[in-house]
Amino acid sequence: MTASASPRNVTGRTVAGGLATVALLAYFALLVRHTCFVAGGADSSGYLNEARAIAAGHITERVAAVDALNLQPADAEVFVPLGIKPGPRTGTMVPGYPPGLPLHMAAAALIGGWRIAPFLVSPLAAIGSLILLFILAGQLALPFGYRLGAAAVLAACPVFVFQAIQPMSDVVATFWTLAA
């Protein structure tokens, strides 16, 4: 029996893996506890509005203010919100954000509803990123402790935490980059 396969080493890894799993669940609980469950600014609002448009099946919309104020369709650009672009036809508008995060949010909303599920995309992507970083570090033949350390450093990064608790694309992009 080699030293790496000794019962003591296997037991130590099992305990360390169990503790890492508990830490990961605690980290997820901490993220969810501090997650922003509203659109906190122009970007998060743009992502959520685009997700709703995708889920509703209509990306192009008429600019309501043009009809309500009885204006000319050419005046619509004045009423197009931040993060939205003028549409293909005069008097219409379309979302201006990349569709990746809105697609994730729309899928989450289909599963868990619009009240909470879209806001859990970033915290779940954060947990997935930590797991994928651990796996990637293993692919680089780093020892078990170093793999845990790499994931812990990412988990403690203030920018990562800040982006993980709000409906923004940064942590989702990190997840997919690690997955690639």
Side-chain angles (χ1 to χ4, degrees), residues 21-165:
T21 301
V22 169
L24 198 61
L25 290 172
Y27 185 74
F28 180 68
L30 180 72
L31 290 178
V32 171
R33 167 73 176 87
H34 295 285
T35 291
C36 179
F37 288 98
V38 295
D43 286 342
S44 57
S45 175
Y47 287 128
L48 286 160
N49 286 333
E50 188 168 340
R52 286 185 184 274
I54 289 169
H58 57 83
I59 298 296
T60 303
E61 295 182 36
R62 280 205 43 83
V63 178
V66 171
D67 297 330
L69 299 173
N70 199 24
L71 300 172
Q72 296 298 316
D75 297 328
E77 287 189 35
V78 175
F79 298 98
V80 173
L82 191 62
I84 307 293
K85 297 178 181 180
R89 292 174 304 284
T90 304
T92 64
M93 59 185 178
V94 295
Y97 287 90
L101 179 61
L103 285 168
H104 283 77
M105 292 174 154
L110 287 174
I111 295 167
W114 285 101
R115 190 174 175 300
I116 294 175
F119 301 99
L120 295 178
V121 170
S122 289
L124 287 170
I127 297 304
S129 294
L130 298 177
I131 293 168
L132 288 173
L133 181 59
F134 179 84
I135 292 168
L136 179 62
Q139 294 292 314
L140 297 172
L142 292 175
F144 184 79
Y146 284 32
R147 288 184 263 165
L148 285 178
V153 167
L154 180 59
C157 175
V159 175
F160 185 78
V161 174
F162 178 70
Q163 293 298 320
I165 61 173

Side-chain angles (χ1 to χ4, degrees), residues 4 112 143:
S4 64

